[in-house]
Amino acid sequence: MSRYWSAVVHGLTPYVPGEQPKLANLVKLNTNENPYGPSPRVLDAVRAEAADTLRLYPDPNSDRLRAGIAAYHGVAPEQVFVGNGSDEVLAHAFMALLKHDKPILFPDITYSFYPVYCGLYEIAYRQIPLTQSFEISVDDYLMPNGGVIFPNPNAPTGRLLALSGIERLLAGNPASVVVIDEAYIDFGGESAVELVARYPQLLVTRTLSKSHALAGLRVGYAIGQPHLIEALNRVKDSFNSYPLDRLAQAGALASMEDHTYFEALCAKVVATRSRLVSSMAEMGFDVLPSAANFIFARHPDHDGAELAAALRARSIIVRHFRTPVRIAPFLRITVGTDTQCNALVDALKAIVAC
Ligand SMILES: Cc1ncc(COP(=O)(O)O)c(C=O)c1O
């Protein structure tokens, strides 16, 4: 606290990112990064861009990258907005499209950055409880609102809402923007991008941090009709005209173009996920069905915080949320390599046996 702070800063409750430990040799399964490296083509593109031209500002509109993303999704470049990670894209969407008189709606258990953006931009919100089985019930969102946002699959549960459910929400909610945060969609769901042409209020956000193994490059994007993208550009150009540096633009484009590598990467994570789910179930864990690169699991006889601490003592870090209380028994575990997941399973076997 300081008397020099603005009133807004006094009132903020900032987001707490998962730990990025400085220690080597940890099995790091806490922040949903990809355990494999990005496409070699990304590294070549970034190296090629590390040149004298770094003295020049990058393209403020990331035109080549937006064209590459548009080609990948079969939309027009005017339907694509890019930002410094999808967190920045989301932040701009809150300011540009979700700040109205009525409260916005999002699940009570979801990405914990959403209430933080609401605090920053002074947006009223209402949290809609997930069902008993931790699912989003579309009917619960069909009420007057200033906007709707949730991840699909949801985080930290990993549960997927079928595209038919999203379409029902859009059909029943024409008056405000619906943001579908597809940070994890490449690991097992159908993208809502195909609905963008029919629903002028739909904005889909995506990231290269997870399925493209590029969390360190900080590139996210949104797809929507041009009128929504224009709103995001207005905020961007009132905040930071150059959100993506030259290296990020070049690397992200190379990644969007290397379909073969990308598909193999996702397939490897999905295969390891199904082996991990089976091993966890054999140990007596309840594991929610996951369409993401993480699983959400609890053991009927063991406390979530204690399990996380016991794993940590064995140099394995996973994510545990103390609140909301309904998820306190759970661990969110990123799907790592087979070797990392085997280490996790061996450690849990030893812990659960005690
Ligand atoms: C649901 C969800 N949305 C968005 C993000 C932000 O991703 P990034 O800013 O790395 O693109 C995350 C990161 O963990 C996430 O879990």
Side-chain angles (χ1 to χ4, degrees), residues 15 31-33 83-90 110-114 117 150-156 181-184 205-210 214-216 218-221 294 319 332:
Y15 174 73
T31 49
N32 300 340
E33 289 134 332
N84 190 265
S86 61
D87 279 341
E88 187 183 76
V89 176
L90 289 167
T110 196
Y111 187 33
S112 52
F113 223 137
Y114 300 158
Y117 294 130
F150 55 80
N152 196 41
N154 195 10
D181 173 352
E182 292 192 345
Y184 301 102
T205 63
R206 319 231 338 171
T207 178
L208 275 70
S209 297
K210 320 290 180 179
L214 285 173
R218 307 304 297 131
V219 181
Y221 60 95
F294 57 85
R319 190 100 197 245
R332 193 198 67 189

Side-chain angles (χ1 to χ4, degrees), residues 79-298:
Q79 293 183 264
V80 180
F81 176 84
V82 294
N84 190 265
S86 61
D87 279 341
E88 187 183 76
V89 176
L90 289 167
H92 290 346
F94 273 77
M95 171 60 117
L97 302 168
L98 298 177
K99 185 171 165 61
H100 300 286
D101 293 337
K102 296 195 189 93
I104 67 164
L105 310 178
F106 51 79
D108 61 340
I109 297 165
T110 196
Y111 187 33
S112 52
F113 223 137
Y114 300 158
V116 175
Y117 294 130
C118 288
L120 180 61
Y121 296 127
E122 301 181 324
I123 298 170
Y125 63 90
R126 190 165 158 194
Q127 291 172 296
I128 309 293
L130 294 179
T131 65
Q132 279 283 329
S133 49
F134 297 92
E135 284 172 281
I136 288 173
S137 163
V138 166
D139 290 335
D140 297 346
Y141 290 77
L142 300 179
M143 63 171 89
N145 63 70
V148 176
I149 181 165
F150 55 80
N152 196 41
N154 195 10
T157 63
R159 293 218 69 163
L160 183 76
L161 177 63
L163 205 53
S164 54
I166 291 180
E167 183 148 23
R168 206 153 63 75
L169 170 66
L170 290 162
N173 187 75
S176 70
V177 168
V178 174
V179 180
I180 306 296
D181 173 352
E182 292 192 345
Y184 301 102
I185 195 75
D186 294 321
F187 300 105
E190 253 183 302
S191 174
V193 167
E194 68 176 71
L195 301 177
V196 160
R198 275 183 287 139
Y199 293 95
Q201 80 277 34
L202 171 61
L203 187 79
V204 180
T205 63
R206 319 231 338 171
T207 178
L208 275 70
S209 297
K210 320 290 180 179
S211 54
H212 287 259
L214 285 173
L217 205 66
R218 307 304 297 131
V219 181
Y221 60 95
I223 295 184
Q225 292 191 10
H227 62 109
L228 299 186
I229 300 304
E230 186 186 341
L232 296 174
N233 277 319
R234 287 173 72 103
V235 172
K236 166 202 160 244
D237 287 326
S238 306
F239 178 75
N240 175 10
S241 300
Y242 303 102
L244 291 195
D245 61 51
R246 286 173 173 271
L247 308 183
Q249 291 185 34
L253 177 59
S255 197
M256 292 307 299
E257 289 176 344
D258 194 350
H259 302 178
T260 312
Y261 187 89
F262 167 74
E263 276 156 26
L265 205 54
C266 293
K268 272 203 280 191
V269 171
V270 168
T272 305
R273 180 181 71 204
S274 74
R275 281 193 287 275
L276 177 60
V277 168
S278 308
S279 308
M280 298 286 290
E282 273 169 30
M283 279 186 279
F285 279 86
D286 297 327
V287 188
L288 297 190
S290 171
N293 69 336
F294 57 85
I295 61 166
F296 206 48
R298 74 181 149 194

Side-chain angles (χ1 to χ4, degrees), residues 27 29 34-36 272 275 334-343:
V27 176
L29 304 175
N34 204 304
Y36 305 104
T272 305
R275 281 193 287 275
T334 303
V335 177
T337 59
D338 283 331
T339 310
Q340 288 176 317
C341 290
N342 290 343

